[in-house]
């Protein structure tokens, strides 16, 4: 009996010793490849399970709308009439008859270009100010009350002031985008900077990062998830603001297109334009979320 | 002849002030640690062990007394006193490799070429058996693996003293044993001077040359120092029945649970 116990002990000892030096080797087991149907069947079922509910609901909404607006004298067109009325507008988004008589693509592209400029400026200035407010208690105490008041001002309320300042429609529209989307960027960035864990600061202190290195190697990467939360809110707000601003400043742009369509009683065009605006806004949000996901290596929620 | 201590604590004391109320956490800490020595600091929670380690690390400034490393006063954090943090403190946006590389680039940016720094990082990762996981990010590896990377990062700074703040505290028993063996192995190879905070009696006896036992706070100080006379290399299975091991273990237990029992209020 004792010999067995000893042998067992010895075995454990050598095993523990071996384990201390080598990690267990990973042995790859041969994978049985299931037939094609077996592999793609569940995937298709999953896809159908995801796509079916929104399609069914959409169909139901269209049917109810059709039924409600089908009778003669109804003020809004049913989907079938929208489709026939606005058919030219839908099938040819690239026509350009000069002036503001252009296809949907050109209007949306113009609006997007304004958002791109205004939002990019807001992102740059917003992140810089956010880092400042997050890092300096003095700057936070000085600037935060001003930000909290300014951010509640509706986008369009800025338009007359910016027209007075810029004396031109284009920069005024861009300024409205800028001033609308900057607040969530500033606020989220500053929260992110303030929430950098003490652990990261300790690590940086031990390896003696300079403030410059700390900013690039710790502050920015640690704040990325917060920054992108701010950017997502910001891009949504700027898309909301541009449509309203364009209604007032006129010219090419999806906002004024809607206003123009209303003035010429092209209700079907308005409805199609609204669908486009919704889709573009959705895509903008997804785009920023995807960008954040890539930049933060999957640590920010999408 | 008086040998000069490598790491020297002279009358170190620490008080935290909150408003008008000052709490003395540490008082009259005198300790000399020799080069290559493995010293554990053990005590009940709240006895200021971590505070003491942070003072050596330079993250906190002692209110009285000084800590000397090779005769130099310690007054700021630095890579010569690398810290293995309890919660690993890896940067989540960097890979395993990147987490070690950032320290190596900073510490040896001038002294070593880029390829030498790469080899240095890989060597440290091999030392903790993480080389094959070098491209993973912290959220993709287990707690034990994260702590291995934390140890590799600290070792990569080639510190004069390796400071470990309850390095195995957050790990399960099996992983902990495995990692303790790794640390013993590395200590045998490199001969670092190590100061480790722990609250695990077995861990302290297994790893240490000396165990510093702290009295309870507030105003905690060194109650007793126990030399562990066990030859190295040590094997945990053989030690279970070793007389010296049992004696040391009993001495620490006696100190912690009989002489300096934690007041029942804080249990």
């Amino acid at each position: 009996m004792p010999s067995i116990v000893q042998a067992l002990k010895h075995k454990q000892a050598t095993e523990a010793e071996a384990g201390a030096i080598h990690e267990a080797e990973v042995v790859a087991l041969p994978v049985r490849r299931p037939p094609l149907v077996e592999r793609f069947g569940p995937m298709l079922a999953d896809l159908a399970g995801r796509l079916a509910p929104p399609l069914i609901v959409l169909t139901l909404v269209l049917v109810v709308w059709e039924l409600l607006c089908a009778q003669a004298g109804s003020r809004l067109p049913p989907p079938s009439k929208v489709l026939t009325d606005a058919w030219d507008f839908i099938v040819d988004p690239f026509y350009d008859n000069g002036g503001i008589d252009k296809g949907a693509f050109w209007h949306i592209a113009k609006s997007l270009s304004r958002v791109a400029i205004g939002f990019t400026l807001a992102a740059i200035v917003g992140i810089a100010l956010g880092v400042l407010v997050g890092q300096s208690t003095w700057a936070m105490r000085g600037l935060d009350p001003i930000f909290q008041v300014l951010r509640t001002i509706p986008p369009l309320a800025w338009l007359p002031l910016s027209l007075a300042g810029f004396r031109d429609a284009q920069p005024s529209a861009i300024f409205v985008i800028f001033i609308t989307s900057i607040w969530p960027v500033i606020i989220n960035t500053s929260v992110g900077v303030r929430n950098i864990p003490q652990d990261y600061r300790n690590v940086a202190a031990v390896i003696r990062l300079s403030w410059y290195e700390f900013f690039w190697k710790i502050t920015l990467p640690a704040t990325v998830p917060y920054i992108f939360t701010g950017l997502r809110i910001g891009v949504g707000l700027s898309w909301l603001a541009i449509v309203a601003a364009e209604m007032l400043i006129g010219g090419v742009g999806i906002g004024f297109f809607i206003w123009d369509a209303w003035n010429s009683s092209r209700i079907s065009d308005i409805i199609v334009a609204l669908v486009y605006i919704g889709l573009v806004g959705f895509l903008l949000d997804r785009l920023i979320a995807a960008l954040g996901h890539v930049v933060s290596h999957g640590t920010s929620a999408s | 002849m008086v040998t000069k201590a490598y790491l020297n604590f002279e009358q170190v004391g620490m008080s935290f002030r909150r408003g008008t109320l000052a709490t003395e956490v540490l008082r009259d800490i005198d300790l000399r640690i020799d080069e290559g020595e493995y010293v554990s600091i053990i005590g009940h929670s709240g006895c200021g062990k971590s505070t003491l380690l942070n003072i050596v690390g330079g993250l906190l400034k002692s209110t009285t007394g000084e800590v000397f490393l090779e005769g130099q006063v310690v007054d700021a954090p630095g890579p010569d006193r690398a810290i293995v943090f309890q919660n690993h403190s890896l940067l989540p946006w960097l890979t395993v490799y990147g987490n070690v590389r950032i320290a190596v680039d900073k510490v040896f940016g001038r002294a070593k070429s880029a390829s030498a720094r790469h080899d240095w990082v890989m060597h440290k990762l091999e030392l903790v058996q993480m080389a094959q996981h070098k491209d993973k990010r912290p959220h993709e590896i287990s707690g034990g693996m994260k702590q291995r990377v934390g140890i590799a990062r600290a070792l990569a700074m080639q510190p004069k003293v390796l400071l470990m703040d309850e390095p195995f505290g957050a790990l399960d028993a099996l992983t902990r044993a495995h990692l303790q063996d790794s640390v013993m192995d590395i200590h045998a190879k490199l001969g670092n001077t190590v100061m480790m905070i722990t609250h695990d009696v077995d861990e302290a006896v297994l790893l240490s040359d000396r165990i510093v036992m702290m009295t309870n706070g507030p105003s905690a100080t060194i109650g007793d120092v126990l030399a562990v006379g066990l030859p190295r290399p040590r094997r945990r299975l053989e030690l279970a029945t070793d007389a010296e091991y049992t004696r040391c273990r009993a001495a620490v237990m006696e100190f912690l649970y009989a002489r300096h029992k934690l007041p029942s209020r804080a249990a």
Side-chain angles (χ1 to χ4, degrees), chain A:
Chain A
M1 277 304 275
S3 69
I4 297 172
V5 173
Q6 267 175 3
L8 209 65
K9 261 191 181 168
H10 180 70
K11 187 171 178 293
Q12 282 175 338
T14 45
E15 270 174 3
E17 201 178 316
I21 298 160
H22 304 290
E23 284 273 61
E25 257 183 32
V26 178
V27 180
L29 294 171
V31 182
R32 190 184 68 89
R33 296 218 142 221
L36 216 61
V37 182
E38 219 176 292
R39 269 188 293 155
F40 286 100
M43 252 171 70
L44 284 175
D46 182 58
L47 197 68
R50 280 168 196 280
L51 282 182
L55 286 177
I56 291 169
V57 171
L58 187 64
T59 316
L60 276 175
V61 168
L62 289 174
V63 167
V64 171
W65 177 11
E66 183 76 38
L67 290 175
L68 283 175
C69 299
Q71 63 265 54
S74 87
R75 291 176 190 169
L76 294 177
S80 57
K81 191 164 181 308
V82 169
L83 217 56
T84 48
D85 282 357
W87 188 249
D88 294 338
F89 183 65
I90 295 168
V91 293
D92 186 10
F94 298 109
Y95 74 87
D96 186 351
N97 299 335
I100 60 163
D101 191 9
K102 292 182 198 304
F105 174 81
W106 301 113
H107 288 290
I108 289 172
K110 187 71 191 171
S111 301
L112 276 177
S113 79
R114 289 180 177 128
V115 166
I117 299 170
F119 178 66
T120 306
L121 289 175
I124 294 167
V125 178
I127 292 170
L129 277 176
V131 169
L132 179 72
V133 172
Q135 239 155 17
S136 148
T137 311
W138 199 92
M140 186 192 78
R141 289 189 183 146
L143 291 170
D144 197 56
I146 302 176
F147 292 164
Q148 296 301 339
V149 171
L150 290 185
R151 76 185 178 92
T152 63
I153 298 174
L156 278 190
W158 289 101
L159 189 61
L161 190 69
S162 59
L163 279 170
F166 291 107
R167 304 201 171 264
D168 189 11
Q170 178 74 359
S172 302
I174 289 169
F175 176 77
V176 169
I177 300 300
F178 171 83
I179 204 73
T180 307
S181 55
I182 196 170
W183 310 115
V185 181
I186 293 177
I187 290 165
N188 279 282
T189 304
S190 68
V191 169
V193 171
R194 235 169 287 150
N195 282 353
I196 294 174
Q198 186 59 39
D199 296 343
Y200 302 172
R201 296 185 191 277
N202 288 346
V203 170
V206 169
I207 64 175
R208 290 193 178 142
L209 291 183
S210 64
W211 75 265
Y212 175 80
E213 291 165 319
F214 186 83
F215 178 76
W216 287 106
K217 293 182 173 171
I218 308 284
T219 306
L220 273 192
T223 318
V224 156
Y226 292 88
I227 291 178
F228 273 88
T229 305
L231 290 178
R232 274 181 81 181
I233 301 171
V235 84
L237 288 179
S238 54
W239 193 237
L240 293 181
I242 190 63
V243 173
E246 283 175 345
M247 284 185 178
L248 292 178
I249 62 167
V252 180
I254 196 71
F256 187 68
F257 173 84
I258 292 177
W259 195 247
D260 189 46
W262 157 243
N263 283 331
S264 14
S265 302
R266 287 180 280 123
I267 307 298
S268 298
D269 283 5
I270 296 179
I271 290 168
V272 173
L274 289 186
V275 172
Y276 285 166
I277 291 172
L279 289 176
V280 170
F282 173 75
L283 288 178
L284 282 178
D285 182 67
R286 293 281 94 190
L287 180 77
I288 300 292
L291 204 63
H293 197 71
V294 171
V295 174
S296 68
H297 304 294
T299 48
S300 102
S302 63

Side-chain angles (χ1 to χ4, degrees), chain A residues 9 12-13 16-17 19-23 199-200 202-203 205-210 213 217-218 221-222 296-297 299, chain B residues 59 77-79 81-83 85 87 89-93 102-103 106 129 132 137 139 153 157 178 181-182 235 237:
Chain A
K9 261 191 181 168
Q12 282 175 338
E17 201 178 316
I21 298 160
H22 304 290
E23 284 273 61
D199 296 343
Y200 302 172
N202 288 346
V203 170
V206 169
I207 64 175
R208 290 193 178 142
L209 291 183
S210 64
E213 291 165 319
K217 293 182 173 171
I218 308 284
S296 68
H297 304 294
T299 48
Chain B
L59 297 172
R81 283 155 285 122
I83 303 176
F85 297 95
N87 49 359
S89 297
L90 299 181
L91 304 175
W93 56 88
I102 188 176
K106 189 58 198 158
Q129 299 145 28
Q132 70 271 38
R137 289 187 197 282
H139 63 92
R153 178 174 61 188
M157 300 177 208
H178 200 78
D181 291 341
S182 287
R235 307 239 180 281
L237 282 174

